[in-house]
Amino acid sequence: MGAPDDRFASRLLEQEIVTSVGCTEPAALALAAAAAAARTTGRVEQIRVRADLGTFKNALAVGLPGTSQKGPAIVAAVGSLVRDPSLGLQVLGAVTAAQWEKAAALAQRVRVLHEPWREVRIEAEVTTADGTGRASIRGRHDRLDRPVAAPDDGHQTDEIDDAEIVARLGSARQLVSAVDSLDGADLARVADAVETNRRLAEYGFEEDAGWGTGRAFRDTGDDPVTVTKAWVSAAIDARMSGAPLPAATSGGSGNSGIVVSLGAWTAARNLGTWSNEEVLRATALAHLVNIAVKARIGRVGPLCGGAHASAMGVGCAIAWLLHGREEVIDRVIRHVVNATSGTLCDGAKPGCALRIASGLGVAVDAARFAAGGHGRIGNAGLAGESGASALERLQQLSAQAFSDVDSGLVEILIDQSRWES
């Protein structure tokens, strides 16, 4: 674990708010294949990929930018054709129509296996007439391995791991202290994420993307919570249906980035009158809560990160604006854990918008209850006696009670995809 420093929150936001084109799991698969292909030459003949269950699950049915095709095999194929790992999680945004067409044929020679790994982990092997290239991703969606002979350029030496995140963002007091340490450059990064995801939402409204959840919320109510759900859902609609636009992620997820940035920003603008800096600090708090919870339950896994981590982040942000006291944020964490715990992730898809919007509504209600002194909460259930204990119990829930859920879920989803084809 790194030594304590007053730039911890700043470094964490820099590490965890990144840009992805398309859902992060397909983007990571494409990135791994691109890196493997870049380590050999010649025409690609065969591809073999091994991926953790969560990554595999989230790549099965989500829309991809630039094509109507879906699935992990096609993204691995197209990544090997792009062959440029420097693009990071924006690799799918660089694919041409001709490459998608070529990838459709190459996908027949791609084998993708899912493994019972609990962390983000992808191992890609690309075979050509000239040899075989290999690459792997582990821990974070954009964390590529490095060739043994590569020069030491300092890349990723300042990385913050999940253990440090859990230790330093385990309570409401630590979270508020982290927000207080942020400077103008950090808030500008948060503002850029809001703007990136706002463009996605506008696309979702204009195109009636996905299942049209964003438009449905927009057309059925104008109260602050419904308006917030509309903007968040429209952006998720767009992203899950393959919009050709980037998303600003949070804790490894574009949907989470959408929820914490658009959710906190929109709710704040509709629930009260605060300065731009106050709203941006609240949005930063939402990011930090999301990242802290993801470090506990996993970046990919059986629990829905949007309903648990991201929605909780928005609730804490609103509570901070309404009241500012640590004990109020603590109550929000306990309320959300009690209300949403056990919400499963059954893979990335347009339907994520409605599920996450439900969690978002719970979180905003929890913030209003806590700030207004309403809504009694006992120590029973997962909430425990504090926000810190609630987060610890949520971590236990994911690691113990839901440890084998993804293996069964993936088999169900594979059977469904065969039936649909």
Side-chain angles (χ1 to χ4, degrees), residues 118-160:
R118 289 300 306 269
E119 65 175 345
V120 175
R121 183 174 172 186
I122 304 167
E123 296 180 358
E125 182 178 281
V126 175
T127 301
T128 70
D130 299 333
T132 298
R134 296 177 179 85
S136 64
I137 287 173
R138 190 161 185 175
R140 290 208 322 267
H141 295 78
D142 59 345
R143 187 197 281 162
L144 271 170
D145 65 330
R146 307 208 39 216
V148 174
D152 183 7
D153 60 3
H155 181 62
Q156 295 181 341
T157 57
D158 204 26
E159 185 172 293
I160 302 171

Side-chain angles (χ1 to χ4, degrees), residues 242-312:
L245 295 172
T249 69
S250 181
S253 168
N255 280 356
S256 289
I258 288 167
V259 176
V260 296
S261 57
L262 282 187
W265 179 268
T266 308
R269 288 303 185 193
N270 285 276
L271 285 169
T273 303
W274 295 285
S275 70
N276 188 58
E277 179 177 339
E278 287 173 321
V279 173
L280 286 175
R281 284 194 183 276
T283 305
L285 175 60
H287 276 285
L288 293 172
V289 171
N290 173 68
I291 293 164
V293 178
K294 285 290 191 71
R296 291 183 177 276
I297 68 173
R299 292 168 187 265
V300 291
L303 297 180
C304 174
H308 291 86
S310 316
M312 184 188 294

Side-chain angles (χ1 to χ4, degrees), residues 333-335 337-338 377-391 393:
I333 293 171
R334 296 168 68 203
H335 272 302
V337 167
N338 255 358
I377 181 168
N379 295 341
L382 292 177
E385 66 280 356
S386 68
S389 66
L391 292 179
R393 293 180 183 188

